[in-house]
Amino acid sequence: MAISAELKKLRAANKGLAIRDVSDASFAKYGRVLSIGKAAKAVAFAKKNAIVGSGIVYEPSVKGLEADAEFMKAAGELVYGGMPIQMGWCYGHNSRLDGLEYHKGNEVVVAVTDFVALVGLQQDIAYGAKGASYASKKAEAFYVKAGTVVEFHAWCLHFAPIHVKSKTGFITLVVLPKDTNTDIKRPAKAKGEAAILFARNKWLIVHKSATGLVKAGAAVGITGTNTVVNPAS
């Protein structure tokens, strides 16, 4: 398989980090590339309405995106087997791992722009009486080209996309089981997995250097260096 020019630039800018294309066979343990349509109407809406700033914006359900009835129908039937779903977006600038989350249900991501995904496996989380821990060195990096539709398996740890171009940032569309990532009353004095429940159907651990997330109540659980990915340009 030919290596794209952007992936070559990413590798050159990140000599100490192995970055593979999402179509590489090694991604199979985390998810797969889908052929269920390109979400053309939703992508057009995002390109017009997602104003990329310096931080990260995430909204679990956006009516303008969900108005793409053709893609919502395809995702709902072919990926989720008729379950209620939502489509939101995540956009902005990001270059660090910062956190890792998982859901009890697969996640579909549409790449409006190129991005890098840092992913891991839930089975590598060690749960203890005070929460959970995961070694950052176990996370792997994959380049996702604009226009690609990716499905992350439920056991795939993931978080905010990483921009490839520092000038333009990243834009992605995110499809999940309905009400995922919405507010929930978290259990008090929880232990083990329950201690890292952050939102509805969202279990999250973060690196201690992600101070904003820590202040928001996210459980510190990522050990080692907080991975940084340098942009291609």
Side-chain angles (χ1 to χ4, degrees), residues 78-99:
L78 300 177
V79 179
Y80 295 96
M83 290 174 55
I85 60 172
Q86 64 192 27
M87 178 154 59
W89 53 18
C90 186
Y91 59 86
H93 283 84
N94 182 44
S95 60
R96 307 194 312 174
L97 175 65
D98 275 355

Side-chain angles (χ1 to χ4, degrees), residues 6 9-10 13 52-55 92-95 113-115 162-170 229-233:
E6 288 298 319
K9 291 178 183 177
L10 276 170
V52 178
S54 58
H93 283 84
N94 182 44
S95 60
T113 64
D114 295 357
F115 73 93
I162 289 175
H163 63 256
V164 171
K165 297 180 179 180
S166 56
K167 184 177 181 179
T168 56
F170 72 87
V229 180
N230 297 315
S233 61

Side-chain angles (χ1 to χ4, degrees), residues 22 36 54 56 74 96 129 143-145 170 178 183 210 225 231:
V22 73
I36 59 170
S54 58
I56 300 171
R96 307 194 312 174
Y143 165 72
V144 185
K145 185 178 180 180
F170 72 87
K178 190 171 177 58
D183 292 340
T225 302

Side-chain angles (χ1 to χ4, degrees), residues 190-220:
K191 297 180 180 180
E193 184 180 31
I196 67 171
L197 181 66
F198 187 73
R200 184 170 280 108
N201 193 26
K202 177 191 184 85
W203 289 262
L204 171 69
I205 53 175
V206 301
H207 193 272
K208 64 181 181 181
S209 64
T211 54
L213 289 166
V214 176
K215 288 180 180 178
V220 175

Side-chain angles (χ1 to χ4, degrees), residues 73-151:
K73 184 175 186 292
E77 293 179 353
L78 300 177
V79 179
Y80 295 96
M83 290 174 55
I85 60 172
Q86 64 192 27
M87 178 154 59
W89 53 18
C90 186
Y91 59 86
H93 283 84
N94 182 44
S95 60
R96 307 194 312 174
L97 175 65
D98 275 355
L100 287 167
E101 67 180 359
Y102 61 91
H103 317 289
K104 302 297 176 73
N106 291 5
E107 177 172 322
V108 174
V109 176
V110 180
V112 180
T113 64
D114 295 357
F115 73 93
V116 172
L118 290 174
V119 296
L121 295 172
Q122 184 192 353
Q123 69 188 42
D124 289 329
I125 292 179
Y127 297 98
K130 295 183 179 180
S133 64
Y134 175 89
S136 62
K137 65 182 180 181
K138 293 184 177 180
E140 294 191 89
F142 290 89
Y143 165 72
V144 185
K145 185 178 180 180
T148 306
V149 182
V150 180
E151 179 181 13

